[in-house]
Amino acid sequence: MALGDKIRVLRKSKDISQEKLAEILGGHTTNIGRYETNKQLPSAETIKKLAKYFKVTADYLLLDNPTTVSTTKIKDKELIGLFEQIEEMSN
């Protein structure tokens, strides 16, 4: 699946508009449309923002068959919260 297709699927899974995603990323709606139609590639900074917002890896976004994407689903909400706190500490 192409990068733009992944962005579109992820955006729709969050049930947000292109306008809202552009607002979240600090960009323009036009760019989101171009990303989703594979007419423009997002910058490295935008890929980082996309990965963080959608809680996926940059590898997932960029690679056809990412080997680093975990298929493990953590169900413990307290543990997820702790991981999120640790992630925020590194920013």
Side-chain angles (χ1 to χ4, degrees):
M1 184 182 306
L3 172 60
D5 299 324
K6 290 178 186 177
I7 294 170
R8 184 178 57 254
V9 168
L10 289 167
R11 178 180 60 79
K12 288 185 176 190
S13 75
K14 290 259 189 185
D15 196 31
I16 60 170
S17 66
Q18 289 182 346
E19 292 82 9
K20 181 65 177 172
L21 182 57
E23 181 183 314
I24 290 164
L25 299 177
H28 298 283
T29 303
T30 305
N31 290 345
I32 303 301
R34 289 179 183 152
Y35 301 156
E36 290 186 2
T37 57
N38 296 296
K39 292 180 180 173
Q40 179 181 339
L41 290 175
S43 68
E45 185 61 30
T46 300
I47 290 172
K48 181 179 172 182
K49 289 177 182 179
L50 285 164
K52 184 173 182 176
Y53 177 72
F54 290 118
K55 297 183 179 170
V56 298
T57 64
D59 281 352
Y60 170 77
L61 292 171
L62 296 170
L63 301 176
D64 289 335
N65 294 313
T67 58
T68 58
V69 175
S70 174
T71 57
T72 303
K73 301 286 183 196
I74 300 173
K75 294 181 174 125
D76 185 323
K77 292 185 188 281
E78 182 179 359
L79 183 58
I80 291 170
L82 292 171
F83 281 130
E84 288 172 349
Q85 287 176 9
I86 292 168
E87 186 176 306
E88 288 300 315
M89 293 169 65
S90 65
N91 293 331

